[in-house]
Amino acid sequence: RRHPSGRGARSALPSARELPAAARRAMASAEDEAQRFTKKLEGIQSRVQELTLPAEKRMAQCVLDCYNRPADYESIHRCVNDCQQKMQTVGKKVQGEMDSMQKSIQACQQSVLKRLEPRMEGARTDPEAQRSLQQEYEQGVGRCFRDAEPGLPDMEARIAGYLKQASEAVRGAR
């Protein structure tokens, strides 16, 4: 999986060694924001994994129940498929939430880069202008993470709701 920081967009700007202290602070701040955001996202992923366990257990029990009732081969496998389908659907929803958050951050980073692009050509031969652009870019990237952060609790709540629904749906599939 690609990291949500979108590191590939930085190549047109100078390296950290070429930057003065103020620009290095802005860069460190953006990296700090990315690390802080990533840590929060990892916490959500960990809690989501815990929330997944009851639904997975119900799915496994549902599958076992399919084999424990008298039926023909086709009926049993249809039952098993129904049990598994509910978890596959919720898995896609959870992945969609994560992908949406990542794409939102990447779009923000691209927006920052696009906003600075017109000035990049003129800065090619001006180290001071390059440093200024690098600093603006890093500040913009940091802002992307800060702007996305308030959406994390809502995303986690939606995912928890999907898992609860799936758990209840699996219970009803038997």
Side-chain angles (χ1 to χ4, degrees):
R1 232 148 95 93
R2 191 162 180 228
H3 189 276
S5 67
R7 298 254 186 241
R10 295 171 57 178
S11 61
L13 300 172
S15 72
R17 287 186 298 261
E18 300 168 329
L19 299 174
R24 282 195 304 272
R25 280 193 301 276
M27 193 177 204
S29 175
E31 288 174 12
D32 290 346
E33 290 291 338
Q35 287 175 351
R36 200 167 58 76
F37 185 85
T38 299
K39 230 180 182 131
K40 286 189 174 204
L41 203 53
E42 287 169 353
I44 289 172
Q45 288 172 330
S46 178
R47 289 188 296 278
V48 164
Q49 287 173 339
E50 290 296 318
L51 290 172
T52 302
L53 293 175
E56 287 175 346
K57 182 179 178 182
R58 285 205 176 95
M59 184 201 62
Q61 186 61 54
C62 178
V63 168
L64 185 59
D65 290 347
C66 292
Y67 287 100
N68 286 334
R69 63 181 179 192
D72 61 63
Y73 178 87
E74 290 295 322
S75 298
I76 291 171
H77 282 271
R78 228 180 352 266
C79 177
V80 167
N81 189 45
D82 288 346
C83 295
Q84 293 171 338
Q85 189 63 41
K86 310 260 188 294
M87 283 303 293
Q88 289 171 354
T89 300
V90 80
K92 288 178 183 175
K93 287 181 178 180
V94 169
Q95 189 61 51
E97 289 284 347
M98 296 293 187
D99 290 347
S100 179
M101 179 62 70
Q102 181 178 2
K103 287 176 184 173
S104 171
I105 292 168
Q106 288 173 340
C108 177
Q109 291 170 334
Q110 282 301 109
S111 172
V112 170
L113 193 57
K114 285 287 184 197
R115 186 170 34 83
L116 298 176
E117 258 179 16
R119 295 174 19 211
M120 283 182 195
E121 186 60 39
R124 287 204 189 281
T125 58
D126 183 352
E128 185 58 39
Q130 289 176 4
R131 286 189 285 274
S132 175
L133 285 172
Q134 178 70 35
Q135 190 171 359
E136 280 186 61
Y137 176 74
E138 294 298 333
Q139 288 171 345
V141 167
R143 200 168 29 258
C144 291
F145 286 105
R146 285 190 302 277
D147 290 350
E149 194 173 321
L152 291 176
D154 289 339
M155 181 184 77
E156 185 173 4
R158 283 190 303 274
I159 290 171
Y162 300 150
L163 290 168
K164 185 174 188 216
Q165 274 182 327
S167 185
E168 294 301 319
V170 168
R171 186 182 298 171
R174 289 186 253 161

